[in-house]
Structures are given as C-alpha cells and as structure tokens.
Amino acid sequence: MKKIIYILLSLVILACSKEQHDLTVKVHVNGLKKGVLYLKKAKNDNLITIDTVAVNGQSDITLHASSLESPEVFYLFLDKNSSEKDQIVFFADKGLTEITTSVKNFGFGAKINGSEQQKVFEEYKLMRTRFNEQNLDLIKEGFEALKKGDTSEYNTIQKKSDSNLKRRYLFTVNFALNHKDSEVAPYLALTEIYNAKVKFLDTINSVLTPKVKASKYGKELQGFIDKIKESEK
C-alpha cells in the first residue's frame, strides 16, 4: 500500500512540475532547412518574444505561449540566417493553432487552422487586400499623371484615393459592428481605424458583447476612447 501511495504521489508531483501552456502552435514549413522561428506578441507598443525554436533540418516545429487570458494576435517570425525576415500574423485562442507554409512564401501563403477569431480575421483581411490593391493602382495612376504634368487628372485621382480610404474605414466599422461578439472587432478598431473620428470607435465599443468588452482588446479600446475624450476636454 505504501508503495502504491508513493507511486501516486510521484505521478502527481510530476504532473504539477510540467509547464502548462494555454496555446500550442504547430508549424510546418516546407523547404526550411535552417533558421530560427520566433513566436511574439505585442506588449506596451513593442513586440516581445514568447517562444523560440532553432530549426536544423526539421520541418515540423512546436511553440508555446502561456497566460493567454483572452484571444489575441500573435506574430510568427522566420529568421533564415540572412538579412531577410518574414512574418505571419494570426489570431489565437487557448488550445491548438496549426500553421502550414513554405520558406518561399512564408508570410503570404500560410494556411492557418485554429481559433474562430482567425476565421473572422481572415475574412476581413481578404476584403482589406482588395482596398489596398485599388489604392496601389490609384497611386500608380497618380504618379503617371504627375509625370505627364496633368494636374487636373492627378487631382481627380486623389479624390478617388480619398474616397477609397473612406470606403475602407466605413467597411471596417460595419465589419466590426457585424462581428460584435468577436475579439476581432475591438482589435480592428484599435489597429485599422484608430485615427478615425471617435464617434466611430464609440459606436463599435457600445455594441460589443460583455465577453468581448472584458477581453484584452475590449479593455484597450475602452481605455483608448477614454484618453481621446479626455484630451478633447
């Protein structure tokens, strides 16, 4: 009996001694032979490293993060022992996130399977890409107009560019309102339209569900709005 109790106590101690992780990120990078992967997140306007894995031949890598109180954005960086660095931005919740990508298209061709917030985030990014592509086309057209010295055409293009920006802002506001139960909503308000009129930020903040309001980005959005209002007094 004493031996059984000793074994059970040993198992309990062993289990308690193991580090507990809120988030596990499994990464598969096709073509990666050597380099370093960094898992990072934002803290006080800086990116801090949460976990690091040196790669030397293996293509399957596992990284971890602890103390994840609510869903938030993480950054996966690849340093290929050169001057070139790539990154993947993803929304993670507690549990498992799986990322499959390649060395060649590390930051652009990644497939991410994980949180519900990531699905919403990808939906937004798809539309944002369309706005960005339109803006790049307008910049190119504006440059050509300047080369020709056509001020009238350039001014017309600038108006189109301003209109495109307003449409992106309004789309972001509507997207956040339609996803008030997702932590992606306050995150977009803080990162995509932080310089918009405070009434837009206030509108998003007012409809967030209690759970989202209590999240990391929900609290940050409330604090951000409070600061703006205080500075306007």
Side-chain angles (χ1 to χ4, degrees):
M1 178 63 71
K2 288 183 178 180
K3 185 178 288 186
I4 293 174
I5 292 174
Y6 175 78
I7 293 172
L8 290 173
L9 285 173
S10 298
L11 290 172
V12 170
I13 293 171
L14 181 62
C16 292
S17 65
K18 289 185 178 180
E19 186 179 357
Q20 299 297 310
H21 303 294
D22 288 333
L23 171 65
T24 297
V25 183
K26 291 187 176 181
V27 187
H28 179 84
V29 186
N30 293 317
L32 180 60
K33 301 299 181 182
K34 194 171 184 180
V36 181
L37 280 171
Y38 300 90
L39 181 64
K40 301 188 178 189
K41 71 175 184 177
K43 185 176 182 180
N44 299 327
D45 297 325
N46 292 308
L47 287 181
I48 60 170
T49 299
I50 304 301
D51 199 3
T52 307
V53 173
V55 180
N56 191 8
Q58 77 272 31
S59 57
D60 293 304
I61 304 100
T62 301
L63 301 105
H64 299 284
S66 303
S67 303
L68 185 61
E69 296 180 2
S70 62
E72 64 180 289
V73 167
F74 284 82
Y75 302 80
L76 183 66
F77 282 84
L78 170 62
D79 184 345
K80 296 176 289 190
N81 294 333
S82 68
S83 59
E84 183 181 359
K85 286 189 174 80
D86 295 298
Q87 70 168 345
I88 295 170
V89 184
F90 63 99
F91 229 109
D93 198 357
K94 291 181 180 179
L96 174 66
T97 289
E98 295 176 300
I99 300 175
T100 303
T101 187
S102 65
V103 172
K104 185 177 180 181
N105 297 305
F106 185 81
F108 298 100
K111 293 183 179 179
I112 304 170
N113 183 28
S115 68
E116 289 300 313
Q117 292 80 8
Q118 176 61 26
K119 295 177 183 177
V120 175
F121 192 39
E122 287 183 349
E123 182 184 345
Y124 173 79
K125 288 196 298 181
L126 179 62
M127 184 58 71
R128 184 185 62 183
T129 298
R130 294 174 184 172
F131 282 112
N132 290 343
E133 289 174 348
Q134 290 172 5
N135 191 53
L136 288 173
D137 289 339
L138 289 169
I139 290 174
K140 183 179 178 181
E141 290 175 16
F143 180 72
E144 293 297 325
L146 285 176
K147 281 176 63 177
K148 294 186 297 184
D150 193 333
T151 305
S152 177
E153 183 180 354
Y154 177 77
N155 290 335
T156 299
I157 293 170
Q158 281 299 108
K159 289 180 181 178
K160 289 181 180 179
S161 181
D162 292 341
S163 176
N164 186 55
L165 179 62
K166 289 178 182 177
R167 288 192 300 111
R168 183 172 72 83
Y169 270 46
L170 290 175
F171 167 77
T172 302
V173 171
N174 287 327
F175 188 91
L177 293 175
N178 290 329
H179 295 84
K180 60 186 179 181
D181 58 346
S182 173
E183 288 78 4
V184 176
Y187 174 78
L188 294 179
L190 289 164
T191 58
E192 296 290 321
I193 54 172
Y194 61 90
N195 54 352
K197 292 181 179 179
V198 70
K199 69 176 183 180
F200 291 128
L201 303 178
D202 233 346
T203 299
I204 294 171
N205 188 48
S206 67
V207 301
L208 298 178
T209 62
K211 174 178 172 290
V212 174
K213 270 186 175 291
S215 70
K216 171 184 171 69
Y217 298 125
K219 292 176 182 177
E220 288 183 2
L221 178 58
Q222 182 65 66
F224 184 63
I225 292 172
D226 290 343
K227 283 184 179 179
I228 294 175
K229 290 182 176 180
E230 184 64 30
S231 66
E232 292 179 345
K233 287 183 179 179

